[in-house]
Short mmCIF file of all heavy atoms in Angstrom, two decimals:
data_model
loop_
_atom_site.label_atom_id
_atom_site.label_comp_id
_atom_site.label_asym_id
_atom_site.label_seq_id
_atom_site.Cartn_x
_atom_site.Cartn_y
_atom_site.Cartn_z
N GLU A 1 -14.67 -24.09 -12.49
CA GLU A 1 -15.82 -24.95 -12.80
C GLU A 1 -17.11 -24.16 -12.60
O GLU A 1 -17.41 -23.69 -11.50
CB GLU A 1 -15.81 -26.19 -11.92
CG GLU A 1 -14.59 -27.10 -12.16
CD GLU A 1 -14.68 -28.39 -11.37
OE1 GLU A 1 -15.78 -29.00 -11.36
OE2 GLU A 1 -13.68 -28.79 -10.76
N ASP A 2 -17.88 -24.04 -13.68
CA ASP A 2 -19.08 -23.19 -13.67
C ASP A 2 -20.08 -23.60 -12.59
O ASP A 2 -20.66 -22.75 -11.91
CB ASP A 2 -19.76 -23.23 -15.04
CG ASP A 2 -18.90 -22.61 -16.13
OD1 ASP A 2 -17.94 -21.89 -15.77
OD2 ASP A 2 -19.19 -22.83 -17.31
N ASP A 3 -20.32 -24.92 -12.45
CA ASP A 3 -21.36 -25.36 -11.51
C ASP A 3 -20.96 -25.09 -10.07
O ASP A 3 -21.78 -24.66 -9.25
CB ASP A 3 -21.67 -26.85 -11.72
CG ASP A 3 -20.43 -27.74 -11.65
OD1 ASP A 3 -19.31 -27.19 -11.72
OD2 ASP A 3 -20.58 -28.97 -11.49
N ILE A 4 -19.67 -25.31 -9.74
CA ILE A 4 -19.21 -25.05 -8.37
C ILE A 4 -19.22 -23.55 -8.09
O ILE A 4 -19.62 -23.09 -7.01
CB ILE A 4 -17.80 -25.63 -8.14
CG1 ILE A 4 -17.84 -27.16 -8.29
CG2 ILE A 4 -17.28 -25.24 -6.76
CD1 ILE A 4 -16.49 -27.83 -8.12
N ARG A 5 -18.81 -22.76 -9.09
CA ARG A 5 -18.81 -21.31 -8.92
C ARG A 5 -20.23 -20.79 -8.69
O ARG A 5 -20.47 -19.96 -7.81
CB ARG A 5 -18.21 -20.65 -10.16
CG ARG A 5 -18.01 -19.14 -9.99
CD ARG A 5 -17.21 -18.55 -11.13
NE ARG A 5 -17.91 -18.62 -12.41
CZ ARG A 5 -17.55 -19.39 -13.43
NH1 ARG A 5 -16.48 -20.16 -13.34
NH2 ARG A 5 -18.25 -19.40 -14.55
N SER A 6 -21.19 -21.32 -9.44
CA SER A 6 -22.58 -20.91 -9.28
C SER A 6 -23.14 -21.35 -7.93
O SER A 6 -23.92 -20.62 -7.29
CB SER A 6 -23.44 -21.49 -10.40
OG SER A 6 -23.04 -21.00 -11.66
N LEU A 7 -22.72 -22.55 -7.49
CA LEU A 7 -23.18 -23.06 -6.19
C LEU A 7 -22.69 -22.15 -5.06
O LEU A 7 -23.47 -21.74 -4.19
CB LEU A 7 -22.66 -24.48 -5.98
CG LEU A 7 -22.92 -25.10 -4.59
CD1 LEU A 7 -24.42 -25.26 -4.37
CD2 LEU A 7 -22.21 -26.44 -4.45
N ILE A 8 -21.39 -21.82 -5.08
CA ILE A 8 -20.82 -20.96 -4.03
C ILE A 8 -21.50 -19.58 -4.04
O ILE A 8 -21.90 -19.05 -3.00
CB ILE A 8 -19.30 -20.80 -4.24
CG1 ILE A 8 -18.60 -22.14 -4.03
CG2 ILE A 8 -18.73 -19.75 -3.28
CD1 ILE A 8 -17.13 -22.14 -4.41
N SER A 9 -21.66 -19.03 -5.24
CA SER A 9 -22.28 -17.71 -5.36
C SER A 9 -23.71 -17.72 -4.85
O SER A 9 -24.15 -16.78 -4.17
CB SER A 9 -22.24 -17.24 -6.82
OG SER A 9 -20.91 -17.13 -7.28
N GLY A 10 -24.44 -18.78 -5.17
CA GLY A 10 -25.83 -18.87 -4.73
C GLY A 10 -25.96 -18.95 -3.22
O GLY A 10 -26.81 -18.30 -2.61
N ILE A 11 -25.10 -19.78 -2.60
CA ILE A 11 -25.15 -19.94 -1.14
C ILE A 11 -24.86 -18.60 -0.45
O ILE A 11 -25.58 -18.18 0.46
CB ILE A 11 -24.13 -21.00 -0.68
CG1 ILE A 11 -24.55 -22.39 -1.17
CG2 ILE A 11 -23.99 -20.99 0.85
CD1 ILE A 11 -23.48 -23.46 -0.96
N LEU A 12 -23.83 -17.91 -0.89
CA LEU A 12 -23.43 -16.65 -0.24
C LEU A 12 -24.39 -15.52 -0.57
O LEU A 12 -24.64 -14.63 0.25
CB LEU A 12 -22.01 -16.28 -0.65
CG LEU A 12 -20.93 -17.26 -0.18
CD1 LEU A 12 -19.57 -16.88 -0.76
CD2 LEU A 12 -20.86 -17.30 1.35
N SER A 13 -24.94 -15.54 -1.78
CA SER A 13 -25.93 -14.52 -2.16
C SER A 13 -27.18 -14.64 -1.29
O SER A 13 -27.77 -13.63 -0.89
CB SER A 13 -26.27 -14.66 -3.64
OG SER A 13 -27.23 -13.70 -4.02
N ASP A 14 -27.57 -15.87 -0.99
CA ASP A 14 -28.73 -16.09 -0.11
C ASP A 14 -28.51 -15.55 1.29
O ASP A 14 -29.46 -15.24 2.01
CB ASP A 14 -29.07 -17.59 -0.03
CG ASP A 14 -29.66 -18.13 -1.32
OD1 ASP A 14 -30.10 -17.30 -2.15
OD2 ASP A 14 -29.67 -19.36 -1.51
N GLU A 15 -27.23 -15.43 1.69
CA GLU A 15 -26.90 -14.89 3.02
C GLU A 15 -26.83 -13.36 3.01
O GLU A 15 -26.56 -12.75 4.05
CB GLU A 15 -25.55 -15.45 3.48
CG GLU A 15 -25.56 -16.94 3.74
CD GLU A 15 -26.48 -17.31 4.90
OE1 GLU A 15 -26.50 -16.58 5.91
OE2 GLU A 15 -27.20 -18.33 4.76
N GLY A 16 -27.07 -12.76 1.85
CA GLY A 16 -27.11 -11.30 1.77
C GLY A 16 -25.83 -10.65 1.28
O GLY A 16 -25.73 -9.42 1.24
N TYR A 17 -24.84 -11.45 0.87
CA TYR A 17 -23.59 -10.88 0.38
C TYR A 17 -23.72 -10.49 -1.09
O TYR A 17 -24.47 -11.12 -1.85
CB TYR A 17 -22.43 -11.88 0.54
CG TYR A 17 -22.12 -12.24 1.97
CD1 TYR A 17 -22.43 -13.51 2.46
CD2 TYR A 17 -21.55 -11.32 2.83
CE1 TYR A 17 -22.15 -13.85 3.78
CE2 TYR A 17 -21.27 -11.64 4.15
CZ TYR A 17 -21.57 -12.91 4.62
OH TYR A 17 -21.30 -13.23 5.92
N HIS A 18 -22.97 -9.49 -1.50
CA HIS A 18 -22.88 -9.11 -2.91
C HIS A 18 -21.77 -9.95 -3.55
O HIS A 18 -20.66 -9.99 -3.04
CB HIS A 18 -22.57 -7.62 -3.05
CG HIS A 18 -23.60 -6.73 -2.42
ND1 HIS A 18 -24.67 -6.21 -3.11
CD2 HIS A 18 -23.73 -6.29 -1.14
CE1 HIS A 18 -25.40 -5.47 -2.29
NE2 HIS A 18 -24.86 -5.52 -1.09
N ILE A 19 -22.07 -10.58 -4.67
CA ILE A 19 -21.14 -11.55 -5.27
C ILE A 19 -20.70 -11.09 -6.65
O ILE A 19 -21.50 -10.61 -7.46
CB ILE A 19 -21.81 -12.94 -5.40
CG1 ILE A 19 -22.38 -13.39 -4.04
CG2 ILE A 19 -20.79 -13.95 -5.93
CD1 ILE A 19 -21.35 -13.55 -2.95
N ARG A 20 -19.39 -11.23 -6.91
CA ARG A 20 -18.85 -11.12 -8.26
C ARG A 20 -18.11 -12.42 -8.56
O ARG A 20 -17.55 -13.03 -7.64
CB ARG A 20 -17.91 -9.92 -8.39
CG ARG A 20 -18.64 -8.58 -8.41
CD ARG A 20 -17.69 -7.44 -8.75
NE ARG A 20 -16.70 -7.23 -7.73
CZ ARG A 20 -15.56 -6.56 -7.92
NH1 ARG A 20 -15.26 -6.09 -9.13
NH2 ARG A 20 -14.71 -6.39 -6.94
N GLU A 21 -18.10 -12.82 -9.82
CA GLU A 21 -17.52 -14.12 -10.19
C GLU A 21 -16.39 -13.93 -11.21
O GLU A 21 -16.40 -13.00 -12.00
CB GLU A 21 -18.59 -15.03 -10.79
CG GLU A 21 -19.72 -15.37 -9.83
CD GLU A 21 -20.73 -16.32 -10.47
OE1 GLU A 21 -20.44 -16.83 -11.59
OE2 GLU A 21 -21.79 -16.56 -9.87
N ALA A 22 -15.43 -14.88 -11.14
CA ALA A 22 -14.36 -14.94 -12.13
C ALA A 22 -14.03 -16.40 -12.39
O ALA A 22 -13.97 -17.21 -11.46
CB ALA A 22 -13.12 -14.19 -11.64
N GLY A 23 -13.82 -16.75 -13.68
CA GLY A 23 -13.56 -18.14 -14.02
C GLY A 23 -12.09 -18.46 -14.21
O GLY A 23 -11.73 -19.64 -14.36
N ASN A 24 -11.23 -17.42 -14.19
CA ASN A 24 -9.80 -17.65 -14.36
C ASN A 24 -9.03 -16.52 -13.69
O ASN A 24 -9.61 -15.53 -13.22
CB ASN A 24 -9.43 -17.78 -15.83
CG ASN A 24 -9.90 -16.59 -16.64
OD1 ASN A 24 -9.58 -15.45 -16.33
ND2 ASN A 24 -10.68 -16.86 -17.69
N SER A 25 -7.69 -16.65 -13.67
CA SER A 25 -6.88 -15.67 -12.95
C SER A 25 -6.91 -14.30 -13.62
O SER A 25 -6.89 -13.26 -12.94
CB SER A 25 -5.43 -16.17 -12.84
OG SER A 25 -4.85 -16.35 -14.13
N GLU A 26 -6.96 -14.28 -14.98
CA GLU A 26 -6.96 -13.00 -15.69
C GLU A 26 -8.23 -12.21 -15.37
O GLU A 26 -8.18 -11.00 -15.08
CB GLU A 26 -6.86 -13.23 -17.21
CG GLU A 26 -5.58 -13.89 -17.67
CD GLU A 26 -5.57 -15.41 -17.43
OE1 GLU A 26 -6.66 -15.99 -17.30
OE2 GLU A 26 -4.47 -15.99 -17.34
#
């Protein structure tokens, strides 16, 4: 889910972590 993925990435990015995203297993 795009919105949940963006929410998680935003929260962790604000904490200083480097984030990569994937929308499926492949």
Side-chain angles (χ1 to χ4, degrees):
E1 296 186 45
D2 295 343
D3 54 345
I4 297 178
R5 187 171 66 249
S6 297
L7 173 64
I8 294 171
S9 299
I11 292 171
L12 295 174
S13 180
D14 289 344
E15 294 296 319
Y17 296 109
H18 300 267
I19 307 298
R20 287 189 294 162
E21 298 182 8
N24 54 55
S25 61
E26 297 78 21

